[in-house]
Amino acid sequence: MTTVRDILVHQGDLPDTFRSGSSVAVDSETMGLSPQRDRLCLVQLSVGDGVCHLVQIARGQTQAPNLATLLADPSTLKLFHFGRFDIAVFLQRLGVLTTPVYCTKIASRLVRTMTDRHGLKDLCQELLGIDLSKQQQSSDWGAETLSDDQMLYAASDVLHLHRLKEKLDGLLERENRTELAQRCFDFLPHRARLDVAGWPESDIFSHS
């Protein structure tokens, strides 16, 4: 059970003392679903140790040097669930292209083809036996002070990604789709660049 004691809140950027290791789970909360229109409010991170770091981004803020350095660090794998959105937001709002990346939603779509349920709540329930609450999904993330419920919700989006990756990696290997998944992960930052550049709904590979 996640408690508020497991959550550290930072204003504007990660502290200089933050250490990510070889991988870090990342998520974000915004004022809406358009990277171009809606501001970035919160970035959640966890290195898989049960602790979540919440970075509150101020209105109008365009730089977070420590966070940006981590997102672009080639030696640290960034774990996402539906990373396409978060990567686009970070590019639009902080000017940083996140790489390398791993997306649990893409991995799930590649190996769990027997279902159309690939949301984070579905994966945690079916692969980890954890029931996530989504009650705060549409709350006001631009509030100056976050409630305990908001912090717990935000933390839950990153605290389980390392374990999900382990489960999904096993399925990818079993189904001989590890290399295909890696190719998709490698392309993901470029798909986010297309979103920001004006092709969010277009499939440039399609015939029509």
Side-chain angles (χ1 to χ4, degrees), residues 149-168:
D149 285 343
Q150 283 180 306
M151 288 191 288
L152 289 170
Y153 169 86
S156 70
D157 279 349
V158 293
L159 289 177
H160 308 297
L161 292 187
H162 284 83
R163 289 180 61 200
L164 283 177
K165 179 183 182 298
E166 290 181 9
K167 294 285 187 178
L168 290 165

Side-chain angles (χ1 to χ4, degrees), residues 83-103:
R84 176 179 169 180
F85 177 78
D86 303 294
I87 296 166
V89 168
F90 298 149
L91 180 59
Q92 178 74 24
R93 298 301 170 186
L94 299 177
V96 58
L97 185 65
T98 306
T99 184
V101 301
Y102 182 106
C103 180

Side-chain angles (χ1 to χ4, degrees), residues 6-33:
D6 302 317
I7 300 172
L8 303 176
V9 181
H10 312 288
Q11 300 300 321
D13 201 358
L14 283 168
D16 294 340
T17 55
F18 180 82
R19 296 292 180 267
S20 63
S22 61
S23 64
V24 59
V26 187
D27 191 42
S28 67
E29 304 298 341
T30 62
M31 290 299 291
L33 298 178

Side-chain angles (χ1 to χ4, degrees), residues 4 135-136 139 141 146-156:
V4 178
Q135 291 183 349
Q136 297 296 318
S139 66
W141 294 105
L146 299 178
S147 69
D148 286 356
D149 285 343
Q150 283 180 306
M151 288 191 288
L152 289 170
Y153 169 86
S156 70

Side-chain angles (χ1 to χ4, degrees), residues 30-41:
T30 62
M31 290 299 291
L33 298 178
S34 170
Q36 292 89 347
R37 178 194 65 203
D38 299 314
R39 71 181 179 95
L40 173 64
C41 301

